[in-house]
Amino acid sequence: MVPSLQSGSGSRHAETSRVFGLDLLRAISILMIVYIHAMGVVSGIVDEYIYLFPAMDSVSMFFVLSGYLIGRILIKTFVERTGDTRSLGQFWIYRWFRTLPNYYLILTVLVVVSSLNGSGSDAPVGPFFIFSQNIAWKHPSFFGEAWSLAVEEWFYLLMPLLMIGAMWRSPSVAASRRRLIVLLAVVALASIAARLPAGLGGHVVTYEDWDSMMRKVVVGRFDALAIGVFGAYLSIYRTDLWTRNTRLLAVAGVVLIVLDRHVLCRYVPYAIYGSLTVVPLSTLLMMPYLSQLSCRRNIITDAIEWISRRSYSMYLVNLSLTYLILSYLPFEWAGSQAIAVKYLTYWIIVVGISAGLYRLWEMPMMNLRTRFRWSTPAHAFGVNAVPAAPKTVDAGEGLPAGLQRAN
């Protein structure tokens, strides 16, 4: 039986099992992603530098959040107890019912519509159904959001297997903990090493090169998720460190993220090799404070939780699908206000479709998990507290200032 797992340490959001601080991080990140993707509507109208000034690498932050939340499940299942094929299958089913129904629905819609309107895809769509479109190579432009889902799906497919192997014949839980640290270090270092050939080979000159060859390649992003799992380890086994100086660490994390975006990334070597690891480490510094942050319920906290719950649906619809819909809508009637109307329409489409998708498809699919004969209650896997998909960006997010866009 997979053990029950609370979604974080510390106080809970009043009257719910959710952690307000993690909801806050998730809500801010998805809103930032939608904001950045909305730039395509006003491109050429507003100054790109000014519009993207508040941008940050929200994808890396989501990877750490996901690694932390799902990592607690993995540790409870495969480190504290000997995981078997039953618990492994249960973990995967709960994970896949959370992420795959939404993904396959949107993917199918995009494939069908692109086939009907003749736009097609720049690559075969088959790999998208098994998340092999960017394992060690560039992600196609079709369904650009899918790259980060591929990173997560492969990590959570392989990590339980690696943990079972690493814990094989472990003499004690203490030994298993040490083995976990070694495993996370190996995974993180191997992932960082996987990014090096693109940079050292002189292939990364522009932002687009870095984005496609390093940021969006599956094998090169496992380090961010491993850092999140390490945070889960600290929250479980080193509570003395996890609960100490949390505000100071959070401030340091925020400052480091700002420095990464606006100062450090102006230096090309750092932008190429350092940023993709520094941002996850900065996010880890914020996690102890956020995982213990509670707040009395009010209209603002309710709005934050509402956005957080629908963040996965917002992620899936905010780029490819929304721009596809916008391409069929006439805006000439608005005259000189056409851009403003189109920009507002973009946000309405994202929020409206994600709300309907969450209520009519995402939640019913998640609820199916409890119908398995050997399943545990949904809350054991943080269903009420773990919208587990990372978010993605394309144009602009975390743009290293030292790398220029191709003309």
Side-chain angles (χ1 to χ4, degrees):
M1 182 71 69
V2 176
S4 116
L5 170 68
Q6 293 180 340
S7 57
S9 56
S11 302
R12 297 293 180 271
H13 189 307
E15 301 179 2
T16 77
S17 63
R18 302 182 68 86
V19 182
F20 172 73
L22 303 184
D23 273 339
L24 179 63
L25 176 62
R26 190 182 293 108
I28 291 175
S29 297
I30 187 58
L31 290 176
M32 178 60 64
I33 289 166
V34 177
Y35 170 80
I36 292 169
H37 282 165
M39 184 187 69
V41 176
V42 296
S43 179
I45 305 298
V46 301
D47 183 271
E48 181 177 322
Y49 177 80
I50 294 176
Y51 187 91
L52 293 177
F53 187 82
M56 55 188 173
D57 187 1
S58 298
V59 175
S60 293
M61 297 171 69
F62 270 114
F63 281 156
V64 175
L65 177 59
S66 173
Y68 168 76
L69 292 170
I70 307 301
R72 290 177 63 87
I73 300 171
L74 292 172
I75 291 171
K76 293 288 188 179
T77 306
F78 301 108
V79 176
E80 292 196 349
R81 305 181 183 183
T82 303
D84 52 21
T85 54
R86 186 167 178 264
S87 56
L88 180 64
Q90 190 173 4
F91 168 79
W92 280 338
I93 285 176
Y94 267 80
R95 168 73 191 170
W96 288 335
F97 266 91
R98 175 66 182 88
T99 59
L100 296 188
N102 264 17
Y103 172 79
Y104 283 132
L105 176 62
I106 301 302
L107 174 59
T108 301
V109 169
L110 292 175
V111 170
V112 171
V113 174
S114 64
S115 298
L116 293 176
N117 66 16
S119 61
S121 168
D122 62 338
V125 298
F128 284 84
F129 287 90
I130 56 174
F131 300 96
S132 64
Q133 71 272 18
N134 63 322
I135 293 178
W137 40 83
K138 293 182 181 181
H139 192 283
S141 59
F142 177 77
F143 199 11
E145 306 94 315
W147 75 267
S148 58
L149 267 176
V151 174
E152 281 222 341
E153 294 306 325
W154 281 106
F155 183 84
Y156 293 125
L157 177 68
L158 298 175
M159 197 61 188
L161 297 174
L162 293 174
M163 292 177 72
I164 290 176
M167 308 309 153
W168 180 256
R169 294 187 176 180
S170 177
S172 64
V173 173
S176 295
R177 296 176 186 176
R178 292 191 293 269
R179 293 184 183 189
L180 174 62
I181 294 299
V182 173
L183 174 62
L184 292 176
V186 170
V187 170
L189 292 175
S191 180
I192 294 172
R195 296 198 296 262
L196 295 181
L200 297 177
H203 304 298
V204 178
V205 179
T206 66
Y207 168 79
E208 286 75 13
D209 297 332
W210 173 81
D211 187 54
S212 62
M213 296 180 185
M214 301 183 74
R215 191 171 80 95
K216 293 183 178 178
V217 175
V218 168
V219 295
R221 299 310 312 271
F222 284 169
D223 57 320
L225 287 156
I227 288 170
V229 178
F230 178 64
Y233 170 91
L234 293 176
S235 71
I236 295 172
Y237 300 125
R238 294 303 307 269
T239 55
D240 57 324
L241 297 177
W242 192 253
T243 57
R244 185 188 306 169
N245 299 321
T246 59
R247 291 188 178 182
L248 180 62
L249 290 174
V251 171
V254 171
V255 170
L256 192 52
I257 286 176
V258 173
L259 289 175
D260 168 88
R261 176 70 174 88
H262 295 289
V263 179
L264 299 177
C265 276
R266 295 185 180 277
Y267 302 95
V268 174
Y270 171 85
I272 294 176
Y273 303 110
S275 182
L276 292 178
T277 299
V278 170
V279 173
L281 289 173
S282 304
T283 306
L284 178 62
L285 292 177
M286 296 187 290
M287 292 302 295
Y289 177 74
L290 292 174
S291 67
Q292 300 168 71
L293 178 63
S294 62
C295 185
R296 186 179 299 277
R297 295 198 64 160
N298 54 55
I299 189 172
I300 296 177
T301 61
D302 286 346
I304 290 171
E305 181 178 324
W306 190 93
I307 294 170
S308 176
R309 286 181 179 273
R310 290 150 185 83
S311 60
Y312 181 40
S313 292
M314 292 177 71
Y315 152 70
L316 284 172
V317 307
N318 88 101
L319 185 58
S320 300
L321 183 62
T322 297
Y323 275 98
L324 178 65
I325 295 172
L326 286 176
S327 68
Y328 287 98
L329 298 179
F331 292 96
E332 294 79 3
W333 59 269
S336 61
Q337 303 300 317
I339 296 299
V341 172
K342 188 175 182 180
Y343 189 83
L344 178 61
T345 303
Y346 169 89
W347 281 91
I348 293 174
I349 291 172
V350 171
V351 174
I353 293 182
S354 62
L357 185 62
Y358 175 80
R359 180 175 181 179
L360 301 176
W361 182 254
E362 184 176 339
M363 284 303 298
M365 290 296 103
M366 285 196 294
N367 291 337
L368 289 178
R369 295 181 290 193
T370 59
R371 297 188 179 184
F372 286 90
R373 179 178 57 85
W374 39 266
S375 64
T376 55
H379 64 77
F381 282 84
V383 172
N384 294 328
V386 189
K391 302 343 182 234
T392 183
V393 298
D394 291 291
E397 180 176 349
L399 173 63
L403 297 177
Q404 300 303 316
R405 289 190 180 280
N407 294 325

